[in-house]
Amino acid sequence: MSEKFLIVGGGAIGMLSTLLLARSGADVCLLEGRALGRESSWAGGGIVSPLYPWRYSAAVTALAHWSQDFYPGLARLLLEDTGVDPEVHVTGLYWLDLDDEAEALAWARRQGRELFPVDIAEAYQQVPVLGGGFQRAIHMPGVANVRNPRLVKALRAALTAMPNVELREHCPVTGFVQDGGRIRGVTTADGEIRADRVVLAAGAWSGELLRTLGLELPVEPVKGQMILYKCAEDFLPSMVLAKGRYAIPRRDGHILIGSTLEYAGFDKTPTDNALESLKASAEELLPALKDAEVVGHWAGLRPGSPEGIPFIGELPEHPGLWLNCGHFRNGLVLAPASCQLLADLMLGREPIIDPAPYAPAGRF
C-alpha cells in the first residue's frame, strides 16, 4: 500500500509539492484554509529571480538557479497536461542606478551568470518608455517572469486530473495529531485527518500552526502591495527595476508595479498611501503610465524569514512533520527547487542540492 502524505497549504509551494509527491505514486491530500493559490502565490509579481540576487546567501542562490533552469520545462509540461499556459515570459531585466553595481557584477562573474553593464543610451534605446534621468544600467537578458495566477490555475488543473490526489479547500487546519511520539495528521473543523507524513507549507501562516506544538518558527507575515496597468502589448519590452520598485510586462500588455514591504501582521487591506507611492514609482520609471488607468490594486502576505532562507526538511523533535515554508520574497522563484528537494528527501532519493542549509534543526 502506498504511503499517504498530507500537505497543509495550497499555494504554489503546497501544490507543486503535492504534484511531485503524487507523481511518485503516493496518495496525497492537500488542505487549504481558503481557495487554492489565492494568497501570496496569486499576489506576487512572478519575476523568476530574486530582485537583487547578489545580496542573498549561497543557500538562496542554489535554489534560485536550479528553479530558473527548470521553469521553462515546467511551463511546457503544465500547458501540455492542462491547456493552461503559465506564460513564462523571457524579457530580461534592467537594474538602474544601483548603489552596489560592482558587487552585482562580481557576483555574476563568480556564478557564471549573464549580467553585464550597458551604456545608458543603449538601455533607453531598448526601453524607449523609460523615464529620464537615469545614469547607469546593468542587464540580465535571460530573466523571465511567470504569470503567477495562471501558474496556480495550471497546477490546480494538473492536480485535479490525478486520481491519487485529494484537494480540500476551505478546510482550515487548527493543529496536529500526535501519536506515539510522531505527528500522524492534523485537526480541522471537520475532524482529524490522518496520514503517514505531514508537510507544512502554509506560507505566512506556518508559524501560527507550529505554535500549537509550542514551537516558535521565525516566519512572519510581511505585507506587499502591487498595482496593475493595462497598456499596448508592445509597450514595455523588458522588466525594469530602480529604487527598490519594479515594472513587469505580461504578454498581453498588463504592467505590474511593485511592491511595498510592510510589517502589519495579517492585515491585507490595500491602502491609499501605498497606491499613491506605487503610482509615483510607476510614473518615475515609465512616465507614459501617468495617462494609463490603474486596473488593479491588491495586497498579499509574504512568509518573512531570517535571510529569506526557507525551512525544508523534517522536524527532528516532531518526526512525521516536514516543513517547506519561509520563502519570504522568493516563493515563486524558489518553488521548483524547494519542492523537488522536499520530494527527494521524503522519498529517500539523492537530493538535487545539499539540503543542510535548509534543515529545520537548530534554526528555531
Side-chain angles (χ1 to χ4, degrees):
M1 204 170 76
S2 72
E3 254 192 313
K4 182 177 179 184
F5 296 123
L6 195 58
I7 313 284
V8 179
I13 300 282
M15 285 200 275
L16 195 50
S17 297
T18 300
L19 185 71
L20 295 176
L21 289 167
R23 275 202 194 140
S24 76
D27 291 316
V28 190
C29 176
L30 175 60
L31 303 177
E32 167 52 49
R34 298 167 186 80
L36 283 173
R38 290 296 300 179
E39 290 293 342
S40 183
S41 303
W42 181 91
I47 301 176
V48 186
S49 169
L51 286 184
Y52 303 97
W54 54 90
R55 296 180 190 172
Y56 284 93
S57 69
V60 172
T61 298
L63 291 172
H65 285 177
W66 195 93
S67 294
Q68 284 167 327
D69 296 340
F70 187 80
Y71 252 113
L74 174 65
R76 279 194 301 273
L77 196 71
L78 287 170
L79 176 58
E80 285 166 16
D81 286 356
T82 68
V84 179
D85 185 359
E87 291 188 15
V88 173
H89 184 27
V90 180
T91 62
L93 172 56
Y94 287 92
W95 286 267
L96 303 161
D97 291 355
L98 274 174
D99 291 336
D100 56 351
E101 185 177 301
E103 289 89 334
L105 296 170
W107 171 88
R109 283 193 297 273
R110 286 196 307 274
Q111 295 289 335
R113 304 308 271 195
E114 207 179 352
L115 173 68
F116 44 81
V118 295
D119 187 84
I120 195 67
E122 186 190 327
Y124 278 108
Q125 194 179 355
Q126 295 300 323
V127 189
V129 288
L130 198 56
F134 293 109
Q135 304 292 315
R136 300 185 325 281
I138 62 172
H139 183 223
M140 189 181 268
V143 186
N145 67 74
V146 60
R147 196 160 183 174
N148 34 311
R150 293 181 66 89
L151 174 67
V152 292
K153 186 180 177 185
L155 286 168
R156 183 199 172 112
L159 293 174
T160 302
M162 297 183 84
N164 54 332
V165 171
E166 180 187 1
L167 303 178
R168 290 202 195 184
E169 295 179 272
H170 308 290
C171 182
V173 170
T174 53
F176 298 95
V177 177
Q178 300 184 67
D179 188 1
R182 284 185 68 81
I183 300 295
R184 303 282 185 181
V186 297
T187 54
T188 73
D190 303 331
E192 289 185 359
I193 302 173
R194 290 189 169 242
D196 297 299
R197 286 187 275 179
V198 176
V199 176
L200 179 59
W205 289 266
S206 299
E208 301 291 292
L209 276 170
L210 277 188
R211 214 162 275 141
T212 65
L213 293 172
L215 293 174
E216 283 296 325
L217 177 75
V219 171
E220 62 176 329
V222 183
K223 181 176 176 178
Q225 299 189 51
M226 313 271 293
I227 57 175
L228 183 70
Y229 293 90
K230 180 69 170 75
C231 301
E233 283 181 25
D234 60 353
F235 171 73
L236 181 63
S238 172
M239 294 182 281
V240 289
L241 193 160
K243 297 181 184 174
R245 295 275 167 88
Y246 50 79
I248 304 171
R250 302 301 198 208
R251 282 186 188 150
D252 64 0
H254 278 100
I255 307 291
L256 275 167
I257 305 289
S259 80
T260 64
L261 204 63
E262 305 164 61
Y263 290 81
F266 286 93
D267 172 35
K268 285 193 306 181
T269 315
T271 63
D272 289 341
N273 280 351
L275 176 62
E276 291 313 310
S277 170
L278 289 164
K279 279 172 75 173
S281 294
E283 290 168 20
E284 187 179 358
L285 267 174
L286 308 166
L289 292 180
K290 203 181 290 267
D291 303 319
E293 182 193 353
V294 175
V295 294
H297 173 210
W298 63 87
L301 298 176
R302 310 173 185 89
S305 61
E307 294 183 75
I309 300 173
F311 297 84
I312 306 169
E314 190 171 23
L315 274 175
E317 55 274 75
H318 291 286
L321 179 57
W322 294 68
L323 304 184
N324 193 2
C325 57
H327 294 74
F328 203 178
R329 303 189 74 168
N330 294 312
L332 287 157
V333 186
L334 307 182
S338 299
C339 299
Q340 187 67 55
L341 178 60
L342 175 84
D344 289 345
L345 294 172
M346 294 188 82
L347 300 169
R349 298 188 300 222
E350 180 71 27
I352 51 162
I353 53 174
D354 178 12
Y358 320 99
R363 292 183 60 204
F364 283 40

